[in-house]
Amino acid sequence: MGPSNTADSNVGSVSLTGVVGSINYTGCPGVLGLQDLTALGTTLNVGSPYTAYVQFSTCGGNYSGAGTAWIDFDQNGTFDASEIIGTWSGIPPTPLSTFNFTVPAGAQNGTTRMRVTQQEAGTLPLNPCATFTWGSVMDFSITIGNGIDCSGYVGDEIADAI
């Protein structure tokens, strides 16, 4: 998944401040495939509003594309359309994108991932698991607090709790 070439389009920066810690990332040069940045993370509480700032940028030429940020709030390993916290489309570099979101009531306690993708020549909606030529895909750690505790559930009971 992710880009097969490190030239051109690339997420330039990501920042998100939570109740504990913050994500402060600056990009370039580009990385092939998925960039694992899960060592960078923050804690977000259910029901609270937050703002993520993403700079969709370039490490080379300026070509149109699209970008999306997701948080896997239900921690099922899939970035669903309902978990999108912001989207962008245009020609980079662009002004900082501001994604305002509130952690939903159904979010599960524990550590999950935030994925940010920029795909050159991409169009919305983006596939969070796509393979493409130019752009970037990166994952950060998000710890959810004050959410649903599914530690005592088994099987279908988890789905019923969410």
Side-chain angles (χ1 to χ4, degrees):
M1 126 181 48
S4 60
N5 190 306
T6 60
D8 301 331
S9 298
N10 191 68
V11 171
S13 67
V14 177
S15 65
L16 172 61
T17 299
V19 294
V20 176
S22 61
I23 295 169
N24 290 301
Y25 165 80
T26 303
C28 285
V31 173
L32 298 176
L34 172 68
Q35 188 170 5
D36 183 355
L37 297 169
T38 54
L40 302 174
T42 189
T43 299
L44 308 177
N45 283 334
V46 166
S48 296
Y50 298 95
T51 303
Y53 300 96
V54 180
Q55 175 71 53
F56 295 99
S57 192
T58 182
C59 295
N62 302 344
Y63 302 98
S64 67
T68 303
W70 299 261
I71 297 177
D72 186 16
F73 291 116
D74 61 10
Q75 298 183 34
N76 68 354
T78 302
F79 294 100
D80 303 309
S82 64
E83 297 173 321
I84 292 173
I85 62 168
T87 62
W88 163 87
S89 62
I91 299 174
T94 62
L96 203 58
S97 294
T98 302
F99 299 151
N100 296 307
F101 66 97
T102 299
V103 178
Q108 182 177 328
N109 281 335
T111 302
T112 189
R113 293 174 297 143
M114 176 173 76
R115 177 161 293 168
V116 179
T117 298
Q118 179 176 347
Q119 184 177 345
E120 187 174 302
T123 57
L124 298 173
L126 292 181
N127 175 346
C129 299
T131 298
F132 45 88
T133 305
W134 300 283
S136 57
V137 178
M138 53 198 58
D139 282 359
F140 301 91
S141 289
I142 299 293
T143 301
I144 303 294
N146 297 332
I148 296 173
D149 184 3
C150 293
S151 61
Y153 295 96
V154 290
D156 290 333
E157 294 176 7
I158 293 174
D160 293 341
I162 298 173

